[in-house]
């Protein structure tokens, strides 16, 4: 299990901010013999990555690691392709006048020792739906292309889910066929997710469709819950919410 944890060190995002404990987050790995009880003592290589040097984009923390393994159990990956390797994506906040979140990529030799491979995606252009930053995400390998379903936020704090595509898992571009989010909150409707949608997790089903599980909040930020939507095959620009599942 890949996870992230924060130390007791006090730190601040900007000099004007209050110093907080737990903000210096780093990714780790724990192992289990049964998938139920996990033991830190079974792996001694933590943390898997460290923060960047001063003035590097990820100098604050490395959080929300998501790992795509080179395993035949992964439904979207060809088990005969031995050239594919482990892939980790993570997020950090860049220290600016107005801080924002970006996404990085890391690669290993064996899933244990990792090295950074660069910044994968950063905030969108001024005026775009994700100009406030990009963060939590889920990556799939489908037909030799990597698809990243990612959470973005605008300058008003409204979160949505976008799509980026990569040929190698390292170099990413936003979906050229969609100028905005592929999945949005139902603003103006009397529903539970009319505020924001975020934290996507996507699974391929036997019928060729994809299920996206997500976190939604209402417009008053008093309620948060999990929802699910289904694509029509590999058309990731159109999703149908499933009610009462």
């Amino acid at each position: 299990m890949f996870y992230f944890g924060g130390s007791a060190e006090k730190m601040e995002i900007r000099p004007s901010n209050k110093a907080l404990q737990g903000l210096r987050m780093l990714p780790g790995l724990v192992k289990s013999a049964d998938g139920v009880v996990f033991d830190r003592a079974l792996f001694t290589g933590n943390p898997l990555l460290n923060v960047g040097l001063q003035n590097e984009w990820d100098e604050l923390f490395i959080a929300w690691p998501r790992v795509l393994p080179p395993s035949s159990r992964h439904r979207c990956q060809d088990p005969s392709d031995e050239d594919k390797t482990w892939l980790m994506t993570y997020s950090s906040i860049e220290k600016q006048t107005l801080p924002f979140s970006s996404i990085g990529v890391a690669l290993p030799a064996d899933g244990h020792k990792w090295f950074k491979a660069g910044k994968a995606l950063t905030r969108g252009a001024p005026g775009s739906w994700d100009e406030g930053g990009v963060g939590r995400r889920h990556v799939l390998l489908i037909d030799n292309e990597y698809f990243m379903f990612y959470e973005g936020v605008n300058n008003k704090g409204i979160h949505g889910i976008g799509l980026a595509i990569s040929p190698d898992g390292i170099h990413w571009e936003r979906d050229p066929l969609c100028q905005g989010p592929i999945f949005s909150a139902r603003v103006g409707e009397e529903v539970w997710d009319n505020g924001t949608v975020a934290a996507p997790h996507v699974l391929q089903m036997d019928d060729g469709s994809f299920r996206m599980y997500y976190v939604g909040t209402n417009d008053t930020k008093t309620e948060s819950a999990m929802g699910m939507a289904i694509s029509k095959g590999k058309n990731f620009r159109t999703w149908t919410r499933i009610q009462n599942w």
Side-chain angles (χ1 to χ4, degrees):
M1 178 171 64
F2 295 89
Y3 73 101
F4 66 103
S7 72
E9 175 187 356
K10 287 189 176 182
M11 59 175 295
E12 55 193 24
I13 295 178
R14 291 186 293 174
S16 59
N17 293 141
K18 180 181 179 181
L20 300 173
Q21 284 185 323
L23 194 58
R24 182 72 81 190
M25 295 173 284
L26 296 173
L29 171 68
V30 290
K31 294 186 175 184
S32 170
D34 58 9
V36 178
V37 179
F38 288 82
D39 188 352
R40 286 180 173 86
L42 296 178
F43 179 70
T44 59
N46 288 320
L48 301 177
L49 291 171
N50 215 327
V51 294
L53 300 176
Q54 187 175 2
N55 297 324
E56 290 186 333
W57 76 273
D58 56 359
E59 67 173 296
L60 285 177
F61 59 75
I62 295 177
W64 297 102
R66 299 301 303 269
V67 176
L68 180 67
S71 169
S72 60
R73 298 178 186 175
H74 199 284
R75 304 171 64 93
C76 297
Q77 186 160 318
D78 182 356
S80 66
D81 190 348
E82 297 179 356
D83 293 332
K84 302 300 181 185
T85 185
W86 292 75
L87 177 72
M88 177 193 291
T89 56
Y90 64 90
S91 60
S92 186
I93 289 181
E94 301 200 36
K95 293 173 68 174
Q96 303 286 338
T97 303
L98 292 175
F100 59 90
S101 178
S102 296
I103 296 170
V105 178
L107 301 172
D110 57 4
H112 292 164
K113 296 180 180 179
W114 296 79
F115 62 91
K116 297 176 184 177
K119 190 190 300 184
L121 203 66
T122 190
R123 62 179 175 179
S128 63
W129 73 274
D130 56 358
E131 65 176 317
V134 295
R136 292 173 291 186
R137 76 233 71 86
H138 189 85
V139 175
L140 295 178
L141 179 60
I142 307 169
D143 296 334
N144 293 316
E145 274 192 309
Y146 291 88
F147 291 79
M148 180 193 295
F149 304 86
Y150 71 92
E151 174 185 342
V153 59
N154 65 14
N155 62 357
K156 297 181 180 179
I158 304 299
H159 295 244
I161 295 172
L163 177 66
I165 303 173
S166 170
D168 55 11
I170 300 174
H171 304 93
W172 293 86
E173 291 186 359
R174 287 171 170 80
D175 177 19
L177 301 180
C178 187
Q179 299 302 312
I182 60 169
F183 194 71
S184 302
R186 292 180 283 181
V187 178
E189 301 181 41
E190 293 297 323
V191 291
W192 66 275
D193 59 353
N194 60 5
T196 64
V197 292
H201 188 99
V202 181
L203 298 175
Q204 186 180 23
M205 309 310 294
D206 290 336
D207 62 2
S209 67
F210 290 78
R211 288 186 181 182
M212 178 165 60
Y213 296 88
Y214 67 96
V215 173
T217 60
N218 60 9
D219 55 8
T220 60
K221 295 182 172 60
T222 58
E223 179 180 332
S224 177
M226 185 174 70
M228 189 258 283
I230 295 181
S231 73
K232 187 175 182 179
K234 297 177 184 177
N235 178 7
F236 298 134
R237 291 98 190 168
T238 303
W239 296 84
T240 300
R241 284 174 167 84
I242 302 301
Q243 306 294 334
N244 301 322
W245 60 276

